[in-house]
Amino acid sequence: VLEPSAGEGGIAAVLLEQLPDIELVCVEPDPGRYATLVTNGFGGALLRTTAHPVTFEMHHDLGPRYDGIVMNPPFTLPGRPLAWVDHVLLAWDLLRPGGVLSAAVPNSLATRNHHRVEVLRDLLDGKHGSYVDLPPHAFMPATAVATLHLVMNKPL
C-alpha cells in the first residue's frame, strides 16, 4: 500500500492500526515532514514500512505498482492549481489490476470544467469508481476546502 504525500504519518498510522500486516510505502518530499515521519517510526523502525524523501512524481517514475493507495494529495502546488488531479491520475497509473485507490479530493471534482478534471471524471463515469461528500471541514486544520471521498477500482 502506498501513501504519497504522507506528511508526518497521520494516515499511515491509521492504515497500520487498521491493517497491521500491510507493507506500507510512504513518500514525502518536504524535508521537515519527512524527518518527522521517520521520527514517528515510519521508514524502517516499523516492520514492513518504508519512507522515501522524494516527490510523488519521482516515485511514480520508478515504476512500482501497488494493491492499494490511500492519499490526501496536495490540492495545489506553486504553479499547479490542479496538483490534486495530477496526483490522483499518477496514483491510478500505479495501481495493479484489482487495486483500490482512496483519496480525499476537493469537491470541485464534481463540477469544475477543466480538461484534467474531466479526464478524471471520465475514468469514474460509473465504471472505475465513485465519490461521496465528506462532512464540512473534515480535513481541518489541513484544509478548509470542502472535500469528497473518491474511491477508484482498477479493473482486472
Side-chain angles (χ1 to χ4, degrees):
V1 174
L2 172 68
E3 187 194 351
S5 302
E8 298 176 354
I11 292 174
V14 172
L15 284 171
L16 288 172
E17 178 183 309
Q18 298 295 314
L19 304 165
D21 295 330
I22 64 170
E23 291 182 34
L24 181 63
V25 175
C26 298
V27 173
E28 178 51 55
D30 179 87
R33 289 186 182 134
Y34 176 77
T36 302
L37 187 67
V38 172
T39 298
N40 287 343
F42 301 96
L46 291 174
L47 186 64
R48 303 168 67 99
T49 304
T50 58
H52 303 282
V54 297
T55 66
F56 183 36
E57 293 83 357
M58 293 167 97
H59 185 75
H60 172 271
D61 291 345
L62 297 174
R65 297 293 181 256
Y66 297 93
D67 295 317
I69 299 174
V70 180
M71 62 192 304
N72 178 15
F75 288 1
T76 64
L77 292 171
R80 296 175 56 200
L82 293 172
W84 65 273
V85 176
D86 297 334
H87 277 226
V88 170
L89 292 172
L90 286 173
W92 175 252
D93 188 49
L94 291 180
L95 278 179
R96 289 185 180 119
V100 177
L101 167 67
S102 175
V105 299
N107 72 349
S108 61
L109 168 63
T111 58
R112 178 117 186 227
N113 291 323
H114 186 281
H115 173 70
R116 300 291 287 158
V117 178
E118 291 167 4
V119 166
L120 180 54
R121 276 199 305 262
D122 286 347
L123 269 175
L124 296 171
D125 198 24
K127 297 178 289 194
H128 300 302
S130 61
Y131 54 85
V132 296
D133 288 321
L134 289 173
H137 310 295
F139 280 86
M140 289 292 284
T143 183
V145 173
T147 53
L148 302 171
H149 179 216
L150 168 69
V151 176
M152 299 177 75
N153 301 287
K154 192 84 167 228
L156 291 172

